[in-house]
């Protein structure tokens, strides 16, 4: 019987008898004893942090190998051993076993991240150097196909070098650190080698120089002007300003709080509390009472554009001085800078002209000696020829 107050859609439903069947519960995968022991750690150490439990489990399973056939594709955010099912756990260690033997296959991203967490905590490696190489290999194999993997591993590789105190040269590919090192060279322009200064400038602002046909045809001359202009500008700011040339363009170095290995399961395996990692005289990472900070200059796009504009202005005035057929607009509107560029170009061209003139000067005092030597040689040849005919 229908109820007048019952919604219309429920009045049209017809309920019939249906047999009840129990759904099959997936059979639990049998775990080897070592994996069972690692599983139990969570309960045995219930009052410890998840990071400490992960580190203990990882060290226990550092050399574990498996050969379980697993075809799933699990999805876990911040994966740990405990977050995986038994089948997934065995599947992970089977993949890791193959990866260590050079057979990485195509693992789920969950497995890639779990292995990265092991490596940043130095699990399963004999030294930090080996750990760095393994992380680099993980990035090489699985980074290009996934931007997030590549981006995170790049950050973790930088943090790995800092945390484990590896050679600072390994940080050369980090864009921010590489840019800061270039600026340090430019700040020391008074004593830095000329080629180092030019390399630093070109790394900071390579766009215009790569495009300029004039630079390609006259790079030696233009490099000299670039070096002279930057050196004079640096000296100008050092004499009469509170801020250096680099600080005018990019600001001062500043301390900023950071989190090493952010977006990862990191367990502070070395238990660092007070530690310092210095890249150069200005850039330093510090850990004080467990809190990390970095003293570094934030490279702004505005500063890079100013350097590009300065290079383009040098190019513009050099084209005028060399009567080049394709002029470009000067991008720098600061009068003393444009005047400085023109003065340096004029001085350089005068030096080149003087050098050419010096080569053309003839030493007339030596002409008499040259003639005398030539006459002696001629007379000797005549005598030898006459003797041969006699």
């Amino acid at each position: 019987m229908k109820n007048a107050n019952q919604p219309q859609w429920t009045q049209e439903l017809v309920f019939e008898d249906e047999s009840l069947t129990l759904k099959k519960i997936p059979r639990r995968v049998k775990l080897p004893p070592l994996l069972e022991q690692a599983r139990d750690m969570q309960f045995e150490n219930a009052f410890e942090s998840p990071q400490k439990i992960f580190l203990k489990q990882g060290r226990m399973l550092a050399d574990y190998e498996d050969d379980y056939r697993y075809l799933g594709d699990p999805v876990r955010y911040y994966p740990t051993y405990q977050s995986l099912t038994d089948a997934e756990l065995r599947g992970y260690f089977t993949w890791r076993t193959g990866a260590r033997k050079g057979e990485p296959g195509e693992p789920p991203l969950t497995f890639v991240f779990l292995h990265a967490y092991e490596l940043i905590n130095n699990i399963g490696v004999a030294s930090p150097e080996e750990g760095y190489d393994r992380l680099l290999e993980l990035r090489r194999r699985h980074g290009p196909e996934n931007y997030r993997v590549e981006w995170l591993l790049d950050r973790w590789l930088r943090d790995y070098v800092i945390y484990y105190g590896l050679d600072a040269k390994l940080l050369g590919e980090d864009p921010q650190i590489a840019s800061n090192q270039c600026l340090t060279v430019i700040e020391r322009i008074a004593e830095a080698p000329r080629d180092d200064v030019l390399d630093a400038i070109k790394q900071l602002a390579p766009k215009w120089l790569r495009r300029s046909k004039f630079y390609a045809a006259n790079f030696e001359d233009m490099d000299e002007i670039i070096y002279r202009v930057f050196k004079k500008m640096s000296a100008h700011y050092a004499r009469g300003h509170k801020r250096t040339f680099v600080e005018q363009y990019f600001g001062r170095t500043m301390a900023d709080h950071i989190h090493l290995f952010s977006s990862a399961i990191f367990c502070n395996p070395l238990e660092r509390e007070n530690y310092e990692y210095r890249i150069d005289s200005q850039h330093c990472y510090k850990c004080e009472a467990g809190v990390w900070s970095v003293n570094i200059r934030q490279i702004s796009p505005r500063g890079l554009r100013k350097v590009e504009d300065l290079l383009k202005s040098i190019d513009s005035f050099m084209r005028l001085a060399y009567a080049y057929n394709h002029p470009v607009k000067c991008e720098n509107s600061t009068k003393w800078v444009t005047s400085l560029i023109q003065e340096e170009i004029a001085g350089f061209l005068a030096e080149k002209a003087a050098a050419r003139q010096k080569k053309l000067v003839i030493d007339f005092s030596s002409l008499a000696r040259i003639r005398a030597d030539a006459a002696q040689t001629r007379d000797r040849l005549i005598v030898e020829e006459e003797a041969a005919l006699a």
Side-chain angles (χ1 to χ4, degrees):
M1 181 177 177
K2 295 182 179 181
N3 186 344
N5 296 323
Q6 188 177 359
Q8 180 63 33
W9 70 271
T10 61
Q11 295 180 25
E12 297 172 359
L13 291 177
V14 178
F15 295 93
E16 297 178 351
D17 293 336
E18 183 179 353
S19 61
L20 296 175
T21 56
L22 295 175
K23 292 184 178 179
K24 290 185 178 179
I25 299 174
R27 185 171 60 84
R28 186 171 181 267
V29 173
K30 180 176 177 58
L31 289 179
L34 193 61
L35 290 185
E36 287 279 13
Q37 188 177 347
R39 281 273 198 234
D40 293 340
M41 273 190 176
Q42 183 180 14
F43 307 103
E44 295 170 358
N45 303 273
F47 297 104
E48 289 189 324
S49 69
Q51 289 85 354
K52 285 189 176 181
I53 294 173
F54 178 81
L55 188 61
K56 286 183 176 181
Q57 289 174 318
R59 287 171 173 172
M60 175 184 287
L61 300 170
D63 300 319
Y64 176 75
E65 295 185 351
D66 211 328
D67 59 354
Y68 179 77
R69 180 175 172 78
Y70 176 74
L71 301 176
D73 187 12
V75 177
R76 300 285 189 283
Y77 295 99
Y78 298 97
T80 62
Y81 309 114
Q82 212 64 34
S83 69
L84 300 182
T85 66
D86 292 346
E88 292 166 354
L89 190 64
R90 294 199 63 182
Y92 167 72
F93 283 109
T94 299
W95 167 76
R96 192 185 76 173
T97 300
R100 287 180 173 179
K101 295 177 180 178
E103 305 165 0
E106 295 296 331
L109 284 181
T110 294
F111 289 1
V112 173
F113 280 115
L114 179 55
H115 190 44
Y117 299 165
E118 289 179 331
L119 294 174
I120 66 176
N121 288 288
N122 255 24
I123 292 170
V125 295
S127 66
E129 289 76 13
E130 182 187 344
Y132 180 85
D133 290 341
R134 293 271 194 91
L135 270 175
L136 202 61
E137 178 67 11
L138 197 68
R139 181 201 179 281
R140 187 184 69 81
R141 288 189 177 277
H142 306 291
E145 63 196 31
N146 188 292
Y147 170 76
R148 180 165 175 77
V149 172
E150 188 173 52
W151 180 68
L152 284 172
L153 284 175
D154 280 341
R155 289 172 54 194
W156 295 342
L157 280 162
R158 177 200 63 198
D159 293 349
Y160 192 95
V161 171
I162 294 162
Y163 180 81
Y164 290 101
L166 299 183
D167 192 335
K169 291 179 181 178
L170 296 172
L171 297 171
E173 295 183 3
D174 183 276
Q176 185 186 47
I177 292 174
S179 296
N180 269 267
Q181 289 176 322
C182 289
L183 292 177
T184 298
V185 172
I186 296 172
E187 281 208 316
R188 296 188 300 102
I189 195 170
E191 65 269 7
R194 173 183 177 275
D195 289 347
D196 289 356
V197 173
L198 288 169
D199 286 344
I201 294 169
K202 292 173 188 178
Q203 285 184 56
L204 281 172
K207 293 180 181 179
W208 178 254
L209 296 183
R210 286 176 182 168
R211 291 167 48 197
S212 173
K213 291 182 179 179
F214 177 82
Y215 177 74
N218 302 275
F219 67 91
E220 290 182 350
D221 288 1
M222 194 161 163
D223 277 352
E224 181 62 24
I225 298 299
I226 291 170
Y227 174 71
R228 292 186 183 194
V229 168
F230 272 71
K231 191 171 183 179
K232 287 286 181 68
M233 288 181 69
S234 180
H236 169 82
Y237 282 109
R239 282 194 304 270
H241 293 76
K242 293 181 180 180
R243 295 196 298 173
T244 67
F245 169 48
V246 170
E247 288 172 347
Q248 290 279 352
Y249 275 54
F250 294 95
R252 292 185 170 93
T253 58
M254 297 182 66
D256 191 19
H257 288 295
I258 58 167
H259 296 280
L260 293 192
F261 303 106
S262 60
S263 302
I265 305 294
F266 179 62
C267 311
N268 191 17
L270 300 183
E271 299 182 355
R272 293 207 186 279
E273 288 294 327
N274 294 284
Y275 169 73
E276 180 177 290
Y277 183 87
R278 186 168 292 278
I279 298 173
D280 55 40
S281 59
Q282 296 188 45
H283 310 125
C284 180
Y285 286 81
K286 288 184 179 180
C287 179
E288 297 174 310
V291 178
W292 283 86
S293 64
V294 59
N295 192 54
I296 202 165
R297 186 180 281 106
Q298 298 298 327
I299 306 299
S300 67
R302 179 174 175 272
L304 295 175
R305 282 196 302 271
K306 288 174 71 176
V307 176
E308 286 282 0
D309 289 347
L310 180 56
L311 294 176
K312 190 174 180 180
S313 297
I314 294 171
D315 193 349
S316 173
F317 283 113
M318 287 198 73
R319 288 176 189 229
L320 289 174
Y322 282 60
Y324 193 66
N325 290 332
H326 303 284
V328 295
K329 181 182 177 183
C330 173
E331 295 292 343
N332 200 303
S333 59
T334 307
K335 290 184 178 180
W336 76 267
V337 174
T338 56
S339 177
L340 172 62
I341 294 172
Q342 291 172 306
E343 288 173 7
E344 290 303 318
I345 293 173
F348 176 68
L349 291 178
E351 290 172 15
K352 289 188 71 174
R356 284 195 299 269
Q357 185 66 27
K358 187 175 182 181
K359 289 181 180 179
L360 293 174
V361 173
I362 300 173
D363 185 2
F364 291 99
S365 64
S366 64
L367 289 178
R369 180 177 55 78
I370 294 171
R371 290 194 185 97
D373 291 342
Q376 289 180 3
T377 302
R378 182 197 60 208
D379 294 343
R380 188 177 68 253
L381 291 174
I382 291 172
V383 171
E384 290 175 354
E385 184 178 358
E386 290 175 347
L389 292 174

